Amino acid sequence: VAALLAIGLLVLLPLAVRARPTLRQLAGSSVLGCWLLVGGPGLLTVSETHVPSNIAAVLASTTSITVCIWRRLSGERLPRMTLLGVAVGFSGIVVLLVAPAGGSAPVAWMLLTLVSAALWSTGSFYGRGLPRVDGLWAATTVQMLVAGGVMTAAGLAAGERPGDVSTRAVLALTYLIGAGTGRPAPGPTA
């Protein structure tokens, strides 16, 4: 983990530094990174240790509903098709949660999954008003490095140790990093 953070600092930090961010922008990007990444996928990862992935996926799908709620509460008038889509989506969530789908979970852990979805959606909606580092790459770099540092500290505080990571997990992460940073595959040619 420390090696990955070091690589991130060496490779990505120059992007953020070139943007010459103010302390206010650094603070805003840091808060947003923690709000979105620690609160969203970070808490989801913790809850999925007790919630089957099929139930967690259904609960996490509430993000669009929450964004619509925030939009409406901020005074935005939502189009009818948006409201219809939210109603259909919410009905689907209810059906999937009520129908026996081959799994159950303690309510507290399912609530944590909903909290993670709510944090992701509120961060996505309200985070637009936070001061951010200029430039998409630079802002994303600050968000990911700060959130990664917070999650690493939380993991170490919870008793996780770097030696607990398997070779298979490292190879999977390496693949995801490579696939996620590579160029998109060319589209079909006529």
Side-chain angles (χ1 to χ4, degrees), residues 34-125:
C34 289
W35 194 350
L36 289 171
L37 301 172
V38 177
L43 287 181
L44 179 63
T45 301
V46 171
S47 72
E48 280 190 307
T49 60
H50 300 280
V51 177
S53 59
N54 61 333
I55 295 173
V58 171
L59 294 171
S61 70
T62 60
T63 55
S64 58
I65 294 169
T66 312
V67 168
C68 287
I69 291 169
W70 297 133
R71 287 173 59 191
R72 185 66 192 114
L73 289 175
S74 72
E76 186 178 335
R77 186 178 167 131
L78 300 173
R80 288 183 194 258
M81 290 305 289
T82 299
L83 295 173
L84 178 64
V86 167
V88 169
F90 184 72
S91 301
I93 290 169
V94 170
V95 167
L96 290 171
L97 286 178
V98 172
S104 64
V107 172
W109 291 105
M110 290 195 294
L111 288 174
L112 184 62
T113 305
L114 285 172
V115 167
S116 76
L119 286 170
W120 180 266
S121 60
T122 56
S124 298
F125 183 75

